[in-house]
Amino acid sequence: MTVLGPDAVSGRKEKTDHPLRTKRAGFTERDHLYMKEALEEAQKALAHGDVPVGAVIVRKGRIIGRGHNRREADQDVTAHAEILALREAGAYDGGWRLEGAVLYVTLEPCPMCAAAIVQAKMAQVIYGVDDPRLGAAGSLLNLLQFPGFHHDVAIRSGLEAEACSNLLKDFFIEKR
């Protein structure tokens, strides 16, 4: 089965589907609320010149981790929004296993973040816009559902896509 949907940057339209991958599928009011929280996190990255990506981790209706890009601020290549949210969620939860948790993130996770998400055994990733250059949830490759890995993570994309895309586009226009 093929999933069709707009790509945030490249305009590429076609993707190979996976049973746990859907685009723009029935987002709830709560999904929109959590993505707006991730967008607020992304805004924080702008204050210190980082690419505006934000993430929140939710389990049982409660936000247990938040993060926004801090690579430039911390001079740390691993300071991606998802990694920082995973660290906070692990500290909150008292462990690294985040089974049943959902990550809301404004931009499709990169390979590093996708691998950490799989290792944390998260249930689902919901992201705003595709990243055709580094996306590891189906745009470039799909590590969240890679054959042979010990855990598959459900993927949904396109939530608050316009707001997520505009934030990134405005940042890069200003950088030029």
Side-chain angles (χ1 to χ4, degrees):
M1 182 161 128
T2 299
V3 177
L4 299 176
D7 188 286
V9 179
S10 75
R12 188 173 49 197
K13 301 272 186 204
E14 197 169 316
K15 292 184 178 186
T16 303
D17 196 16
H18 181 282
L20 296 175
R21 182 175 171 76
T22 58
K23 286 198 64 90
R24 302 179 194 278
F27 294 117
T28 67
E29 201 171 306
R30 281 188 163 241
D31 289 331
H32 287 278
L33 172 75
Y34 294 135
M35 185 58 82
K36 287 180 180 169
E37 292 286 327
L39 281 160
E40 286 182 25
E41 285 295 319
Q43 288 286 344
K44 294 177 185 177
L46 291 172
H48 41 75
D50 275 285
V51 176
V53 177
V56 297
I57 296 175
V58 177
R59 188 183 322 173
K60 297 179 183 173
R62 180 182 203 139
I63 295 175
I64 61 171
R66 295 173 178 272
H68 59 274
N69 274 1
R70 294 191 52 87
R71 280 192 333 177
E72 298 300 328
D74 295 349
Q75 291 298 293
D76 178 356
V77 71
T78 68
H80 288 205
E82 301 95 322
I83 298 296
L84 299 176
L86 284 165
R87 288 177 185 160
E88 188 172 289
Y92 173 87
D93 217 34
W96 58 269
R97 287 182 183 88
L98 298 173
E99 294 155 321
V102 178
L103 172 72
Y104 292 83
V105 62
T106 57
L107 180 66
E108 180 180 5
C110 74
M112 174 184 69
C113 294
I117 291 162
V118 170
Q119 290 294 319
K121 301 180 184 293
M122 296 194 72
Q124 184 173 195
V125 169
I126 300 175
Y127 68 87
V129 294
D130 294 338
D131 183 349
R133 291 180 53 241
L134 290 172
S139 290
L140 181 64
L141 65 148
N142 187 350
L143 293 180
L144 297 177
Q145 299 165 342
F146 193 76
F149 278 7
H150 67 285
H151 180 73
D152 274 353
V153 179
I155 304 165
R156 292 194 305 163
S157 63
L159 179 58
E160 299 289 341
E162 187 174 345
C164 295
S165 180
N166 288 340
L167 190 60
L168 288 162
K169 285 178 185 175
D170 290 349
F171 173 79
F172 287 111
I173 286 170
E174 194 171 305
K175 279 286 187 191
R176 292 178 187 147

